[in-house]
Amino acid sequence: MYNVLIVDDEKIVRIALKTIINWEDNGFRIVGEAKDGINALEVIKKNKIDIVITDLKMPNMDGIELIKCLQDKGYNGKILVLSNYDDYNLVREAMKMGASDYLLKVVIEEEEFLQSLKQIAHQLDKDKTMSLAKEKITENNLIVKEAFLKNLIMNKYSKREITENIHKLDIKFNEEGNIVLFVFIDKMRSPEIKKRIKDKKMFEMSIINIISELVKDPYDGEVIGLEYRDFVVIIPVNNTWNNLDERMKQLSCDISEMIQTYLNVTSSIAIGNLCDGAGIPEMVKKCRNTINYKFYFGHKSIIKLDDINYDNIIVKQDYSSVLIQLKENLRMGEIEKNIDIFDDIFEKAKTEKWNPYHFKKVMSVIIDNLVSILVEIGEKDILYIDANKNILQNSETIEEYRQNVINLMEGICKRIEHIYNSKYRKEVSMAIEYIKQNLDKKLSLKIIAEKINMNESYMSRIFKNETGESLIKFINHMKIEKAKEIIRNSDDMIKEVAESVGISDQFYFDRIFKKHVGMSPSQYKNKVYK
């Protein structure tokens, strides 16, 4: 059914046209009428009009002015003009302006009128078919173009193939110089963002549309979505541009701001160096690597390739002594000391910009060693630790990583405490806790038995039965471990170290230290500071 508007200043003509044929039986519907061009434009604004039947001579706005206004507004319907015998020049002008047909008002016959309408309807059908075909061709071209750009980035073409396809698909690359931007959407793995973004494909299309609006004009840039959070922008460089670095930095800022404004997510962007068409795949690879360094710069970062020293790709440091200390602190429940140790590592990594991949790899080895404490004391189910390690691996910034390490340390400590409490009877657990909290004091079976309110011999017996070692041996072991920590972290004299763990007799301290460690305190100190 085609919608028709009748425009004529004479009411009698409008009535005659409405009654000359059975409109709906022939596939037409009159949806409005107007007495001049101004009135007609108001009706067209509010309704979808396929065919406008208009007189040429009318007050206020005549038919010629109406046709011109419709052309200016991009009207894609058809126009049938009505004329009198003396309107030849006006008819000719109307036909030049795109009117489909004309009829003499005074001699309109039903058959002629209907024939003209059907011809116009047939033309509308052809236009619609052509329009759909063009849309399909455009859609297919876009699909081919998108596939080419993705394969280009994956380095699947020769230099000759790249040049051929750039011209064939009308891609505006500059064979001598292009800038690659790599756009990374921050925090896409966070529960908050996951909950908000239900349709990843729709989200990806929204990002592409936002970036396209910014880079199509004046840059003639191309946008390629690699996955729902990674996007590549290729900007052909104009040799007349001044301050290219500043221009690309400003464009990156604009992209980031627009994405945040419309989608309420932040993004980080890596800016590549100039490259020719064949060099785009390698530049994308470098930009993808560079964006990983947002780990140190934080969310919503803009990073140039030149900002990064790629020589710092391997973390060269022996962490064996650090591991010993971390494990001892963990056993003692001293999380704050471990946080301080980790903070030193994090600060060094951040300052020197270690490769984030290698940093996480080293940290993973350290974490695995700490987790081994749980296995040593009888923990069987450590799947929850694996989940925490995955969270660590997916941390996008070093601040997030630090908080996740703290969470993991707290979880391990709570688990150790729970295992000890469930592994030993209440009195033994109380004794162990008291020993840990009072290593700087003199400790004996008598003192601990009194604190637990238990007979000495009974206390000694159940402690040995529960832990597999005597109470005195356990006390000495804990004191020596504490002493080793003090030696590593201070310049205290050996006598002062002994006093710090509640042993006033230095000869006795030397003897039990050597028994537990296999060397004297002085030898251990020399080894540590060697």
Side-chain angles (χ1 to χ4, degrees):
M1 195 75 71
Y2 293 100
N3 293 337
V4 178
L5 171 64
I6 297 173
V7 188
D8 199 297
D9 60 323
E10 297 180 63
K11 187 173 183 179
I12 191 169
V13 174
R14 297 199 302 270
I15 292 171
L17 290 174
K18 286 194 291 183
T19 57
I20 193 172
I21 62 170
N22 190 323
W23 290 88
E24 296 204 359
D25 283 356
N26 288 286
F28 303 95
R29 181 192 300 115
I30 296 175
V31 296
E33 55 182 285
K35 61 184 178 180
D36 58 37
I38 294 173
N39 192 201
L41 290 173
E42 291 174 0
V43 177
I44 293 169
K45 187 177 180 181
K46 295 176 183 176
N47 300 276
K48 180 185 178 299
I49 304 297
D50 299 305
I51 303 171
V52 176
I53 302 174
T54 181
D55 189 12
L56 289 176
K57 288 183 177 179
M58 295 178 291
N60 300 321
M61 180 186 283
D62 62 24
I64 296 296
E65 289 178 278
L66 173 60
I67 294 170
K68 187 176 186 307
C69 281
L70 290 175
Q71 277 186 329
D72 292 343
K73 293 177 183 294
Y75 176 67
N76 58 6
K78 300 297 179 183
I79 300 169
L80 171 62
V81 296
L82 305 175
S83 70
N84 293 313
Y85 283 114
D86 58 349
D87 293 341
Y88 176 72
N89 288 334
L90 291 176
V91 169
R92 186 172 62 177
E93 188 176 352
M95 297 300 287
K96 281 183 179 179
M97 293 173 68
S100 299
D101 199 359
Y102 73 94
L103 295 172
L104 291 172
K105 281 201 292 186
V106 293
V107 294
I108 291 179
E109 297 288 340
E110 176 184 348
E111 186 177 339
E112 180 187 18
F113 185 54
L114 186 56
Q115 182 65 27
S116 180
L117 286 173
K118 286 185 175 180
Q119 285 177 352
I120 290 172
H122 178 67
Q123 189 60 49
L124 283 169
D125 289 339
K126 282 178 65 177
D127 290 352
K128 186 177 180 180
T129 302
M130 287 293 292
S131 177
L132 290 172
K134 285 179 181 178
E135 285 178 13
K136 191 66 179 175
I137 291 169
T138 302
E139 183 183 337
N140 289 340
N141 285 343
L142 288 173
I143 292 170
V144 172
K145 183 177 179 180
E146 182 183 2
F148 165 72
L149 290 170
K150 284 188 176 180
N151 286 331
L152 167 68
I153 287 168
M154 295 167 68
N155 203 15
K156 290 188 175 181
Y157 296 115
S158 66
K159 191 170 183 177
R160 180 182 59 79
E161 288 172 322
I162 292 171
T163 304
E164 285 177 1
N165 279 287
I166 284 173
H167 293 303
K168 188 191 298 181
L169 298 170
D170 193 31
I171 298 171
K172 303 292 191 298
F173 286 174
N174 184 334
E175 292 182 18
E176 295 180 0
N178 305 277
I179 291 288
V180 171
L181 307 180
F182 192 95
V183 182
F184 177 89
I185 308 302
D186 301 325
K187 299 188 283 189
M188 285 300 289
R189 287 194 176 103
S190 71
E192 176 198 349
I193 302 293
K194 279 183 176 179
K195 186 177 179 181
R196 195 147 44 85
I197 297 171
K198 305 292 185 184
D199 189 335
K200 288 182 181 178
K201 193 65 182 175
M202 181 66 71
F203 177 79
E204 181 181 338
M205 287 307 302
S206 299
I207 296 285
I208 290 173
N209 289 337
I210 289 169
I211 300 174
S212 295
E213 283 296 313
L214 291 167
V215 304
K216 286 296 181 185
D217 183 20
Y219 296 104
D220 282 328
E222 296 291 348
V223 185
I224 308 105
L226 301 185
E227 56 176 283
Y228 68 98
R229 66 177 186 169
D230 291 345
F231 302 85
V232 171
V233 183
I234 303 172
I235 305 292
V237 173
N238 188 321
N239 295 330
T240 63
W241 290 347
N242 295 321
N243 300 319
L244 181 60
D245 285 353
E246 282 304 311
R247 183 183 283 263
M248 290 301 104
K249 188 172 182 182
Q250 185 58 54
L251 175 60
S252 298
C253 287
D254 292 343
I255 290 171
S256 183
E257 289 298 329
M258 288 289 279
I259 290 173
Q260 187 168 12
T261 298
Y262 286 102
L263 297 176
N264 196 26
V265 293
T266 62
S267 55
S268 297
I269 301 175
I271 304 174
N273 297 325
L274 272 173
C275 63
D276 60 16
I280 287 173
E282 182 61 27
M283 190 54 63
V284 170
K285 185 178 177 182
K286 288 180 178 179
C287 285
R288 190 194 286 270
N289 186 34
T290 298
I291 205 66
N292 291 329
Y293 284 82
K294 66 160 277 193
F295 187 72
Y296 302 114
F297 292 94
H299 297 306
K300 207 177 177 183
S301 300
I302 294 174
I303 314 167
K304 285 189 89 278
L305 260 66
D306 298 338
D307 293 340
I308 305 300
N309 177 9
Y310 295 97
D311 291 335
N312 291 335
I313 59 170
I314 301 175
V315 184
K316 296 178 180 178
Q317 188 165 337
D318 181 10
Y319 287 101
S320 55
S321 60
V322 173
L323 265 173
I324 294 169
Q325 193 172 344
L326 286 168
K327 291 176 85 169
E328 288 174 8
N329 291 341
L330 206 53
R331 286 193 181 97
M332 303 291 287
E334 295 176 333
I335 295 175
E336 290 301 322
K337 289 184 178 180
N338 273 358
I339 292 172
D340 288 342
I341 293 171
F342 280 122
D343 279 344
D344 287 341
I345 297 172
F346 296 162
E347 186 58 37
K348 186 175 177 64
K350 190 172 183 179
T351 302
E352 297 181 4
K353 300 290 185 297
W354 293 345
N355 182 295
Y357 171 78
H358 291 279
F359 167 80
K360 289 182 179 181
K361 201 170 180 181
V362 169
M363 287 301 301
S364 180
V365 172
I366 293 174
I367 297 299
D368 284 344
N369 273 273
L370 296 181
V371 171
S372 68
I373 295 174
L374 291 172
V375 179
E376 290 169 11
I377 62 174
E379 176 67 290
K380 294 179 181 178
D381 181 13
I382 58 169
L383 288 177
Y384 68 97
I385 296 293
D386 290 337
N388 276 280
K389 283 168 64 181
N390 284 333
I391 292 172
L392 270 176
Q393 198 62 28
N394 291 328
S395 300
E396 290 185 14
T397 68
I398 199 163
E399 286 76 18
E400 289 176 8
Y401 197 94
R402 178 182 183 275
Q403 186 56 54
N404 289 329
V405 165
I406 292 172
N407 295 343
L408 182 59
M409 292 300 101
E410 288 175 346
I412 293 174
C413 277
K414 285 178 183 176
R415 194 62 194 158
I416 290 172
E417 185 179 350
H418 172 77
I419 291 169
Y420 276 135
N421 289 339
S422 59
K423 187 175 182 180
Y424 304 127
R425 58 190 293 172
K426 182 181 177 182
E427 294 84 354
V428 173
S429 295
M430 288 171 64
I432 292 172
E433 187 60 30
Y434 181 80
I435 292 167
K436 285 182 178 181
Q437 299 299 326
N438 295 276
L439 289 173
D440 59 335
K441 300 179 180 67
K442 183 179 180 181
L443 295 172
S444 65
L445 175 59
K446 181 180 180 181
I447 292 170
I448 293 169
E450 286 176 357
K451 289 291 179 181
I452 306 302
N453 196 22
M454 185 179 284
N455 177 273
E456 286 181 45
S457 60
Y458 184 59
M459 177 78 242
S460 176
R461 187 166 67 255
I462 64 166
F463 193 94
K464 178 73 180 287
N465 289 340
E466 293 275 321
T467 66
E469 61 182 334
S470 70
L471 182 62
I472 299 304
K473 186 176 180 181
F474 182 83
I475 291 171
N476 287 339
H477 173 75
M478 296 298 286
K479 283 180 177 286
I480 296 307
E481 289 300 319
K482 184 67 177 177
K484 285 163 65 181
E485 179 189 337
I486 295 170
I487 291 171
R488 286 195 303 271
N489 295 294
S490 74
D491 293 326
D492 291 358
M493 296 173 62
I494 300 302
K495 183 179 180 182
E496 293 171 328
V497 173
E499 290 172 350
S500 296
V501 293
I503 300 175
S504 56
D505 186 341
Q506 187 180 336
F507 293 107
Y508 175 69
F509 175 73
D510 285 354
R511 184 158 52 84
I512 62 171
F513 190 99
K514 188 171 184 178
K515 183 177 180 181
H516 280 81
V517 183
M519 64 182 76
S520 70
S522 299
Q523 290 172 325
Y524 182 77
K525 187 172 185 177
N526 290 334
K527 182 182 178 184
V528 169
Y529 290 101
K530 191 173 180 180

